[in-house]
Amino acid sequence: MAAGSEVSSHFTLEATAAGNQGQRVKPFTPEKAKEIIMSLQQPAIFCNMVFDWPARHWTAKHLSEVLHGKQIRFRMGMKNTDTVPQFETACSYVEATLEEFLTWNCDQSSDSGPFKDYDHSKFWAYADYKYFVSLFEDKTDIFQDVIWSDFGFPGRNGQESTLWIGSLGAHTPCHLDSYGCNLVFQVQGRKRWHLFPPEDTPFLYPTRIPYEESSVFSKINVVNPDLKRFPQFQKARRHTVTLSPGQVLFVPRHWWHYVESIDPVTVSINSWIELNPDRPYDPAMPFEEDHLARVEEAITRMLVCALKTAEDPHNTRAWLNPTEVEEISHEVNCHYLNGAIVAFLDHYKTSKGVEIQAPRTSKENLQKEDLNTCNCVEMEGTQGQNGTMAAIKQEAASLFGPDLVPVTLRSKETPSEGGGIFESDGKDFVDKDGKHFAKLFCADRQQTMSTSDNAGVDQIASNSAPAPSQTFVSTDDLLDCLVNPQVTRMVAQLLLQGKSL
């Protein structure tokens, strides 16, 4: 089989021929798809949008031929049901080719090779966070095989994408991404996604150890939770969906997710869409929060690195995620924080009526604070903008149907653990006119806001009593408080308020 541009050209011609025959039409124009992505605040699956993408043929076998024996890094984890999450710092790593991975994955035991120390029945392997730019640095034509422009982002292709290849059981611990939203194209095999809304953040017990830029981890293994240690997790509302080949999952900003491979081989492609493009503020798109998120991330990075390197400067592997390779010196982090603050202020100087508010400190306001909504900036004409966005959201919800399937709970009584979890696979829950989904969407959002009112105070109360096994306050205990998302938001607001005076 040919590789690189030859493969790309072949499938492009194939898609063009199909299009000329008028065989298939995509259900959403790029403009409509982007409107949905920028307004919908609930995960959803796009169907029938990538049938002409050359990348739909990117099986692990095909990619092994394209990469011609290139070694890549695999994360190795245990197939067990421990209540403690398998963070990347607790995993081992193997440098191997995709051919070697496929041979091992077929359970062809060998006394030699990179996987020789890993029993296939006990371990899983995951080639994750593989950025196209470095993976295909000598085959840049292959970037064109991924066509995110179909979702309303012109020019975005494989160059802004990441590849994920895993075996059965491979997974990422539950976490949220600080920046942007996420589009995930499933190529081979199936993955099960467990998602939780941003309002449930206190119930997920967030932590920044291990530290990774833009990733807030949960202390909980959500597929086997320790409810004695984390009782508030029972209040979290789990959304589950099995993503199948040919489908694209939209993960809105700050939705928590745990992702696991449920087939022998899985291949996925994703792209993180930033919500603060370099353009003037658009009142019709008031979700540009990434500039503020960068200030919060810079504060977190500065505090974590300062305390952890002081604790043990020679053992960074215990707390720094292997994917986090940037400098961690105080001087570099200070420069990073200043750069983030300057970028925030410069960005919003172009908007009229900007006012940096003091953080809310009363109990009532703390309860009502949305942990993941930018509250430090108010724009003129808020009522008009809210009306515009409400209309856009209602229109997006009305589009639910065979080609846009929401990821939602069927029953509000569904428990957060074990069995009884209703799951969407992108095929059921379909009405002719999609009205069923609109009702579910609105009802779910209403409950989301009402049940999270006391989330912040509940978490503070639950965290105030130390576990019986704890006899002292560790650096990590202190960091869990100092860099809690709620705290870093308040600190960011104070910093920005002082610099804007």
Side-chain angles (χ1 to χ4, degrees), residues 90-283:
C91 293
S92 53
Y93 292 83
V94 164
E95 297 286 336
T97 65
L98 280 178
E99 292 93 334
E100 291 168 329
F101 162 73
L102 291 172
T103 298
W104 170 81
N105 199 47
C106 292
D107 207 12
Q108 299 179 15
S109 300
S110 174
D111 295 332
S112 61
F115 295 99
K116 63 183 178 62
D117 296 327
Y118 299 93
D119 186 336
H120 180 264
S121 65
K122 298 179 181 179
F123 288 86
W124 48 259
Y126 207 6
D128 51 2
Y129 289 103
K130 297 297 176 277
Y131 290 89
F132 279 43
V133 172
S134 57
L135 192 62
F136 302 108
E137 55 189 351
D138 56 343
K139 299 179 177 64
T140 55
D141 287 348
I142 209 169
F143 294 162
Q144 308 305 319
D145 289 8
V146 181
I147 315 170
W148 295 117
S149 57
D150 282 351
F151 289 86
F153 302 96
R156 182 178 290 264
N157 53 34
Q159 189 168 1
E160 295 85 19
S161 302
T162 309
L163 185 68
W164 310 71
I165 304 173
S167 65
L168 179 65
H171 65 269
T172 54
C174 188
H175 68 284
L176 66 80
D177 301 316
S178 301
Y179 307 137
C181 58
N182 196 358
L183 288 176
V184 186
F185 168 35
Q186 192 63 27
V187 179
Q188 179 182 4
R190 296 168 302 156
K191 280 186 172 178
R192 181 173 293 120
W193 286 69
H194 302 249
L195 302 111
F196 302 86
E199 293 81 6
D200 286 359
T201 290
F203 308 144
L204 273 297
Y205 296 83
T207 181
R208 296 312 298 262
I209 303 297
Y211 174 73
E212 178 183 303
E213 167 77 9
S214 81
S215 293
V216 181
F217 291 100
S218 169
K219 297 179 183 179
I220 303 169
N221 181 351
V222 298
V223 295
N224 188 26
D226 183 348
L227 296 180
K228 291 183 179 179
R229 185 181 178 191
F230 305 111
Q232 295 293 320
F233 181 63
Q234 296 179 86
K235 300 179 182 180
R237 288 150 297 161
R238 184 195 306 257
H239 297 58
T240 58
V241 64
T242 298
L243 193 64
S244 299
Q247 297 177 336
V248 174
L249 175 66
F250 163 61
V251 182
R253 185 176 194 268
H254 282 180
W255 272 72
W256 292 84
H257 47 284
Y258 172 102
V259 190
E260 56 182 336
S261 298
I262 60 174
D263 279 331
V265 180
T266 60
V267 178
S268 308
I269 299 170
N270 89 294
S271 187
W272 287 283
I273 310 296
E274 290 194 356
L275 298 179
N276 59 313
D278 294 328
R279 58 175 174 78
Y281 181 83
D282 182 357

Side-chain angles (χ1 to χ4, degrees), residues 46-62:
F46 284 91
C47 303
N48 303 311
M49 286 290 288
V50 296
F51 56 81
D52 59 344
W53 286 21
R56 75 192 186 280
H57 298 285
W58 283 17
T59 63
K61 176 63 175 175
H62 169 69

Side-chain angles (χ1 to χ4, degrees), residues 42 397-402 404-406 408-412 422 424 428-444:
Q42 180 173 352
S398 69
L399 292 173
F400 287 146
L404 183 66
V405 182
T408 184
L409 289 173
R410 271 183 164 177
S411 171
K412 302 307 177 187
F422 290 97
S424 166
D428 52 7
F429 301 161
V430 177
D431 284 351
K432 290 182 179 180
D433 57 6
K435 291 182 180 178
H436 174 60
F437 301 124
K439 292 179 180 178
L440 278 177
F441 172 80
C442 295
D444 189 62

Side-chain angles (χ1 to χ4, degrees), residues 59-78:
T59 63
K61 176 63 175 175
H62 169 69
L63 289 170
S64 70
E65 297 171 358
V66 171
L67 291 172
H68 296 301
K70 182 175 184 176
Q71 284 199 330
I72 56 179
R73 194 184 199 196
F74 288 86
R75 176 161 57 97
M76 308 301 297
M78 292 287 293

Side-chain angles (χ1 to χ4, degrees), residues 269-315:
I269 299 170
N270 89 294
S271 187
W272 287 283
I273 310 296
E274 290 194 356
L275 298 179
N276 59 313
D278 294 328
R279 58 175 174 78
Y281 181 83
D282 182 357
M285 298 293 182
F287 299 105
E288 298 186 7
E289 303 179 21
D290 282 353
H291 277 296
L292 177 63
R294 293 190 187 283
V295 176
E296 296 170 4
E297 282 297 302
I299 294 169
T300 299
R301 170 171 155 170
M302 197 167 186
L303 289 173
V304 170
C305 292
L307 288 179
K308 294 302 289 186
T309 53
E311 179 183 62
D312 189 352
H314 304 295
N315 188 24

